């Protein structure tokens, strides 16, 4: 029997993936939220799930430790997508990559003056590309979380972060001033596994594609 390993992250991606798994006839035997297990079986003896940090999903799939995975476009842009086949935009975990500033900060004016901007973000490659394309010079400050704090304490002028409702920005007196791109999660597949286990993997790709309506 061919074994298939699917890499997922906890939280919203796991929740929003459950209906897609169901469409492929896959039901996890336990929830990663309550279980501490990192390898989770399913009702299908040939399919198991591994639970990894969202930003680690492309790495597991690239190296073939997982055959398939689900990762946000934000994560894929930073990873580069090397060795990964990306057959389906699953239309889940949707949000936007935005530039945000403190309320009252004249972002347009700063850009037009050619001011040098201090940018705090977890998404350094994405930010570098975005500001280079605009011809804006930046000092990048790499953070691993809570980007909203940076402008409030003078660490940066602006942040680049994911925004969905804007509630966190608002609560911290920040405002989104520019959209960099729309984000959703994609199915990623190891290219060698797709060749070696083509029949099994293609069935999962097809079920996910039908269930995500694309
Ligand atoms: P961690 O929380 O472990 O630091 P993370 O922030 O990357 O890691 P999640 O918060 O679970 O992990 O986010 C996983 C993915 O969900 C992100 O890569 C992104 O594609 C998407 N996402 C993040 N924030 C939102 C949001 N507010 N609304 C919708 N989708 C989001
Ligand atoms: Mg998070």
């Amino acid at each position: 029997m061919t074994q298939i390993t699917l890499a997922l992250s906890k939280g919203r991606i796991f929740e929003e993936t459950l209906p897609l798994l169901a469409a492929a006839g896959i039901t996890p035997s336990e929830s990663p939220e309550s279980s501490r297990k990192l390898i989770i079986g399913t009702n299908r003896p040939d399919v198991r799930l591994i639970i990894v940090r969202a930003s680690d999903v492309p790495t597991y799939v690239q190296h073939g430790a997982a055959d398939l995975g689900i990762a946000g476009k934000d994560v894929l842009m930073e990873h580069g997508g090397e060795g990964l086949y990306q057959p389906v935009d699953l239309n889940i975990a949707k949000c936007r990559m935005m530039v945000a500033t403190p309320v009252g900060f004249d972002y347009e004016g700063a850009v037009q003056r050619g001011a040098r901007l201090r940018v705090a973000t977890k998404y350094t490659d994405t930010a570098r590309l975005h500001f280079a394309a605009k011809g804006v010079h930046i000092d990048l400050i790499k953070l691993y979380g809570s980007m909203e704090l940076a402008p409030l304490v003078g660490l940066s002028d602006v942040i680049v972060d994911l925004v969905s409702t804007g509630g966190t920005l608002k609560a911290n007196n920040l405002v989104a001033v520019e959209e960099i791109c729309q984000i959703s999660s994609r199915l990623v597949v190891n290219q060698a596994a797709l060749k070696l286990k083509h029949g099994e993997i293609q069935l999962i790709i097809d079920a996910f594609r039908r269930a995500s309506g694309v």
Side-chain angles (χ1 to χ4, degrees):
M1 185 174 51
T2 307
Q3 282 291 335
I4 303 287
T5 301
L6 179 65
L8 293 176
S9 53
K10 282 203 243 192
R12 65 170 63 82
I13 291 202
F14 189 85
E15 294 304 318
E16 297 192 38
T17 300
L18 282 174
L20 304 177
L21 290 173
I26 301 167
T27 309
S29 350
E30 50 200 320
S31 155
E33 311 299 339
S34 51
S35 163
R36 293 185 181 207
K37 285 192 188 155
L38 299 176
I39 301 180
I40 294 186
T42 72
N43 62 316
R44 278 177 51 174
D46 63 328
V47 178
R48 63 177 186 171
L49 310 178
I50 62 172
I51 306 302
V52 305
R53 188 85 185 255
S55 46
D56 290 335
V57 167
T59 306
Y60 279 84
V61 177
Q62 174 189 4
H63 293 277
D67 301 301
L68 310 106
I70 295 180
K73 186 182 171 196
D74 51 321
V75 163
L76 291 167
M77 289 191 303
E78 290 291 313
H79 172 271
E82 197 197 328
L84 301 177
Y85 172 54
Q86 298 183 29
V88 193
D89 179 348
L90 299 169
N91 258 313
I92 60 170
K94 287 165 84 166
C95 53
R96 297 187 296 164
M97 182 76 72
M98 307 280 296
V99 179
T101 71
V103 170
F105 180 85
D106 181 13
Y107 177 67
E108 280 309 320
V111 167
Q112 271 162 23
R113 281 199 314 279
R116 197 174 179 89
L117 286 178
R118 293 171 306 151
V119 180
T121 187
K122 168 164 136 179
Y123 305 101
T124 48
D125 287 356
T126 303
R128 194 179 287 113
L129 281 173
H130 175 72
F131 288 105
K134 286 174 66 79
V136 173
H137 292 283
I138 59 169
D139 292 318
L140 265 179
I141 299 159
K142 168 80 182 183
L143 292 178
Y144 293 87
S146 302
M147 270 81 83
E148 295 85 0
L149 180 61
L152 306 182
V153 293
L155 180 61
S156 73
D157 303 307
V158 311
I159 62 172
V160 167
D161 198 6
L162 298 177
V163 180
S164 51
T165 63
T168 308
L169 292 180
K170 200 166 182 206
N172 290 292
N173 211 26
L174 302 174
V175 63
V177 291
E178 188 167 69
E179 176 175 308
I180 298 179
C181 64
Q182 308 227 349
I183 301 290
S184 56
S185 285
R186 319 285 164 107
L187 180 64
V188 295
V189 184
N190 177 276
Q191 286 173 347
L194 183 60
K195 292 200 185 86
L196 290 168
K197 310 180 185 178
H198 187 265
E200 295 81 357
I201 290 180
Q202 193 62 49
L203 283 174
I204 295 177
I205 294 175
D206 291 343
F208 277 24
R209 187 178 278 131
R210 279 195 306 275
S212 58
V214 286

